[in-house]
Amino acid sequence: MYINMSIIKQLPDNVIDKIAAGEVVERPASVVKELVENSIDAGAKRIEIRIAAGGKQSIVVSDDGSGMNAEDVRMCPMRHATSKMRSPSDLFDIHTLGFRGEALASIGGVSYMTVESRHIDDQEGTRLVIEGGAIRECQAVGRAVGTTISVRQLFFNTPARRKFLRQVDTEARHINQVIIGLAAGYPEVSFTLDHQDRNMLHFTGATRIDRVIDLLGLGRDQILEIDYAKDGFQIVGGISRPEHAGKTKSKQHWLVRGRPIHSRGMTEALYKGYSHWIPEGAHPAFVCWVDLDPKQIDVNVHPAKREIRIANERALNESIQAIIREAVSSSEERAFKIETASTGSAMPPSIDLSESSRISDEGKAYNEHDEVKGLGEKAVQWVNWNFDGESDSEQGTLLLQSGPNEKGAVGVSISNGVGPEIENIWQVHGRYLISPLKDALLVVDQQAAHERILYEEAASKDAKAVSPVQQLLFPLVLQLGREEYALTLDIIDLLKDIGFDVRDFGENSIVVDGIPSQMKNWNDGEVLRHILADVADGEATLKGPRTERVFLSYAKHSAVRDGVKLEELEMSYMLKRLMECEEPYFCPRGRPTIVKVLRRDLDRLFGRI
């Protein structure tokens, strides 16, 4: 007998709430973003955020906004309940950061949530307690005007989602980035972020240009101000001068009507505006506010509102490109006029284009920003002097053979981990160390070798013993950007382990009293800035553990550079230390450190055999 059983069923409310939560609440940072945006929309001028265990254990957001009355408190956790829309037309005329009415319902559905609020016109506040979407308590409470929302044990009832959360430090960094973005959008608002009773961020209410300086960690004279209003667009803010472009994209902030967004098109337009004024691989820092008719914006493109759609985006991008080009070119022309006036020259300096000044592709120096992942045949071909392909098994000698991209295919041997006896050492081309062996020449890349030495010393369990501190004659105060400062405090113990004597100085500043004794190019703090940039860039791309990135960057930027003259004692020490390394034949980024030129191959080159 045929029984007609329907396949489609309506899901129960508790399942619907959990599905909706997945669209809005990806991680603790999503909760912080939704709650702080609500505080901003409520007119708050002071917002405090306190988190524990990266937000996985608890999140508390307090503000001094207009607050809610008892009826609003009871309504706020209901799905599709919002104060920011009244009709369908409001979808295309958004004047607030949030409007979908699902944030509190979604958050309350996957946590223990408490809402306390008092409206400015009320004598008392209201306290609402929600557990997994169910209201457990609602009563009057005495409190100040404003709202406090507490979220505990996020995803307690969806363990499959909770297990995908990352480590505490990672989740805390995501929250840190959310607050930085919102602080960029609303400079007039004060923001405080505390994690595990330690202050991570504190922004006081400020003007736009002061917030730019604060976020970028640059002086006013290192920033070009932007102020443009035309064709229905208003663009204001600050961009770094070309010479102060950074190594990463971590200090780039677009704010459209106060909303932090990502826009590939707008960023590409800005880069085109800089044109040839910045070198390849450099990234300008900027904070730019864009204002336009809200009817020209669709903010409902992305569930988490990270992206928006702009009706006339092409015209906006063309305006951005023109604005940046005008600001940068005018600045560079003024700088050139000042320089020529001071030197008495009416013409720019000539550039030597003679053959002797050129470097062919074959002899091009290794780019320090490239990371060699392996040693394939092409990469190793230039060091393969073993023309007949014979391996050399004599103890105390070294040999690199070109081959496939695995370390196991590279033949290197050395007796008992001890280097060969060194009779003489020469430095050639400011790059290579050469020493004669019995039947060969030993050739060492000084930078690659030094990187290997520094990396293994930093990674040593007894790093403090092998990385003594060289005290600076005068302590150096470094003014950092917000993200750089927060990152420095996070990795300050790692920095101390590898030889930096550094301490917090407050207000986005640190004091460096000493540096690793082996560091060859301190350059008034630039090395430390490069390390912070590399670590931040790696976290943006989730590239490798943080500790590993610190060690790699320290070795890369601290090692002796091309053109640095070394004394014989320094060269001898470098070779000795290299031979004591666990992996002496490759730098931490995969380049060879040592090659051997066999005498029989030299004889063959000169027709002796």
Side-chain angles (χ1 to χ4, degrees):
M1 181 176 67
Y2 174 75
I3 300 176
N4 184 15
M5 298 182 64
S6 61
I7 298 174
I8 298 176
K9 303 287 186 181
Q10 186 171 11
L11 295 172
D13 288 343
N14 65 329
V15 176
I16 293 173
D17 289 343
K18 291 177 182 177
I19 293 173
E23 297 179 353
V24 178
V25 185
E26 298 177 86
R27 62 193 330 152
S30 308
V31 174
V32 172
K33 179 177 181 293
E34 296 289 348
L35 298 183
V36 174
E37 285 182 350
N38 282 344
S39 295
I40 293 172
D41 287 339
K45 294 302 178 185
R46 181 177 54 81
I47 303 173
E48 297 178 355
I49 306 98
R50 300 189 303 278
I51 61 174
K56 294 189 285 186
Q57 181 177 324
S58 69
I59 298 169
V60 181
V61 177
S62 302
D63 67 58
D64 62 350
S66 58
M68 296 180 284
N69 60 29
E71 181 64 21
D72 287 340
V73 170
R74 284 190 289 269
M75 286 292 295
C76 72
M78 304 299 177
R79 293 195 68 209
H80 305 301
T82 179
S83 63
K84 302 164 186 177
M85 286 182 60
R86 289 292 181 267
S87 67
S89 62
D90 290 342
L91 277 170
F92 305 100
D93 192 15
I94 302 298
H95 293 268
T96 60
L97 285 168
F99 68 94
R100 298 188 316 137
E102 290 188 75
L104 292 182
S106 298
I107 296 168
V110 291
S111 70
Y112 298 97
M113 184 173 74
T114 301
V115 180
E116 283 190 7
S117 189
R118 174 187 159 195
H119 192 268
I120 192 171
D121 295 330
D122 294 339
Q123 297 299 313
E124 61 182 7
T126 305
R127 185 173 189 264
L128 182 72
V129 178
I130 298 173
E131 295 181 5
I135 296 177
R136 299 301 185 196
E137 177 186 328
C138 186
Q139 63 182 21
V141 65
R143 59 158 291 125
V145 172
T147 302
T148 299
I149 297 181
S150 171
V151 177
R152 295 182 294 110
Q153 299 301 319
L154 187 63
F155 299 135
F156 80 96
N157 54 355
T158 53
R161 189 166 290 160
R162 186 176 178 87
K163 74 178 182 180
F164 282 102
L165 295 179
R166 296 190 175 272
Q167 294 180 348
V168 168
D169 287 345
T170 301
E171 297 298 342
R173 285 196 302 275
H174 282 285
I175 293 173
N176 192 75
Q177 291 166 358
V178 164
I179 301 305
I180 288 173
L182 291 171
Y186 292 86
E188 70 279 7
V189 178
S190 169
F191 297 86
T192 302
L193 171 62
D194 292 335
H195 181 214
Q196 308 284 85
D197 298 323
R198 181 174 72 83
N199 180 253
M200 292 182 67
L201 289 173
H202 178 62
F203 291 95
T204 57
T207 63
R208 278 181 166 175
I209 189 60
D210 286 337
R211 186 57 52 89
V212 171
I213 293 170
D214 199 2
L215 287 168
L216 302 187
L218 298 174
R220 189 179 291 265
D221 60 340
Q222 298 171 322
I223 293 171
L224 299 174
E225 293 189 47
I226 303 297
D227 192 351
Y228 172 91
K230 191 178 179 182
D231 303 326
F233 305 118
Q234 182 181 16
I235 305 173
V236 297
I239 63 174
S240 62
R241 290 181 179 274
E243 63 270 25
H244 295 290
K247 301 293 184 183
T248 72
K249 300 179 181 180
S250 61
K251 297 180 182 179
Q252 298 184 346
H253 303 275
W254 285 114
L255 298 311
V256 177
R257 294 189 60 82
R259 185 188 303 276
I261 67 157
H262 300 287
S263 172
R264 179 178 297 179
M266 292 164 63
T267 302
E268 287 179 354
L270 182 137
Y271 274 75
K272 289 179 181 177
Y274 272 92
S275 185
H276 61 279
W277 296 112
I278 58 172
E280 185 178 354
H283 301 285
F286 62 85
V287 182
C288 291
W289 291 268
V290 180
D291 198 11
L292 66 163
D293 186 343
K295 293 184 175 64
Q296 301 295 313
I297 307 173
D298 182 2
V299 297
N300 202 25
V301 176
H302 192 283
K305 295 170 285 189
R306 294 194 192 100
E307 301 172 5
I308 64 172
R309 184 179 292 118
I310 299 174
N312 198 4
E313 187 170 3
R314 181 176 179 179
L316 173 61
N317 291 344
E318 289 175 352
S319 296
I320 291 171
Q321 183 176 339
I323 296 161
I324 302 303
R325 182 187 295 115
E326 180 181 356
V328 174
S329 60
S330 298
S331 169
E332 294 303 304
E333 287 172 5
R334 284 196 299 272
F336 174 68
K337 289 178 180 178
I338 293 172
E339 182 179 350
T340 54
S342 64
T343 60
S345 172
M347 296 292 290
S350 60
I351 300 174
D352 182 11
L353 297 177
S354 64
E355 290 294 328
S356 62
S357 69
R358 301 178 188 175
I359 301 177
S360 66
D361 289 340
E362 183 180 6
K364 187 181 296 182
Y366 175 77
N367 185 342
E368 67 176 18
H369 301 296
D370 294 338
E371 291 192 8
V372 180
K373 299 301 182 185
L375 295 172
E377 183 174 352
K378 183 177 180 181
V380 188
Q381 194 65 43
W382 62 279
V383 300
N384 181 17
W385 287 79
N386 188 20
F387 297 119
D388 55 9
E390 296 177 2
S391 63
D392 192 336
S393 59
E394 295 179 14
Q395 290 189 344
T397 61
L398 302 107
L399 174 66
L400 286 178
Q401 297 174 329
S402 63
N405 193 12
E406 289 92 23
K407 280 189 176 180
V410 180
V412 184
S413 64
I414 191 165
S415 64
N416 303 321
V418 179
E421 293 184 6
I422 301 172
E423 297 178 0
N424 296 289
I425 309 175
W426 299 279
Q427 184 185 39
V428 296
H429 302 308
R431 180 181 298 173
Y432 301 112
L433 309 182
I434 296 180
S435 181
L437 301 177
K438 180 180 179 181
D439 292 309
L441 288 178
L442 184 70
V443 184
V444 176
D445 182 320
Q446 66 184 36
Q447 181 176 341
H450 200 204
E451 281 190 39
R452 167 53 61 182
I453 294 166
L454 293 176
Y455 173 79
E456 292 203 6
E457 286 185 352
S460 167
K461 292 182 180 179
D462 195 20
K464 292 181 181 179
V466 296
S467 299
V469 177
Q470 174 187 343
Q471 293 297 324
L472 298 177
L473 184 59
F474 300 103
L476 178 66
V477 178
L478 285 180
Q479 186 72 29
L480 305 174
R482 285 286 182 171
E483 290 179 271
E484 287 178 312
Y485 176 67
L487 179 59
T488 303
L489 297 186
D490 275 350
I491 66 172
I492 196 166
D493 290 336
L494 274 175
L495 295 175
K496 289 180 178 179
D497 285 346
I498 58 180
F500 287 100
D501 186 358
V502 59
R503 51 192 166 92
D504 184 12
F505 199 55
E507 296 297 323
N508 296 339
S509 298
I510 60 171
V511 177
V512 183
D513 294 305
I515 61 175
S517 60
Q518 287 207 55
M519 185 169 288
K520 295 292 185 182
N521 51 341
W522 169 235
N523 197 19
D524 289 336
E526 284 306 304
V527 169
L528 187 53
R529 291 185 186 276
H530 286 315
I531 293 173
L532 295 174
D534 285 348
V535 175
D537 189 43
E539 291 180 353
T541 58
L542 298 178
K543 185 172 63 177
R546 173 185 279 189
T547 302
E548 178 76 2
R549 292 197 304 274
V550 171
F551 295 160
L552 282 170
S553 184
Y554 160 69
K556 179 174 73 173
H557 295 296
S558 302
V560 63
R561 288 287 183 261
D562 286 355
V564 174
K565 179 176 174 56
L566 299 178
E567 300 298 330
E568 186 171 355
L569 188 61
E570 292 178 302
M571 293 187 284
S572 179
Y573 175 77
M574 183 177 292
L575 291 185
K576 178 179 181 297
R577 287 291 297 113
L578 181 63
M579 290 301 100
E580 293 171 349
C581 289
E582 292 183 7
E583 179 63 86
Y585 311 116
F586 301 93
C587 84
R589 294 179 288 153
R591 287 192 298 145
T593 59
I594 309 171
V595 297
K596 189 186 74 170
V597 182
L598 298 176
R599 191 175 76 172
R600 66 170 177 263
D601 293 329
L602 289 174
D603 290 342
R604 182 173 291 131
L605 284 173
F606 287 98
R608 288 180 172 270
I609 58 173

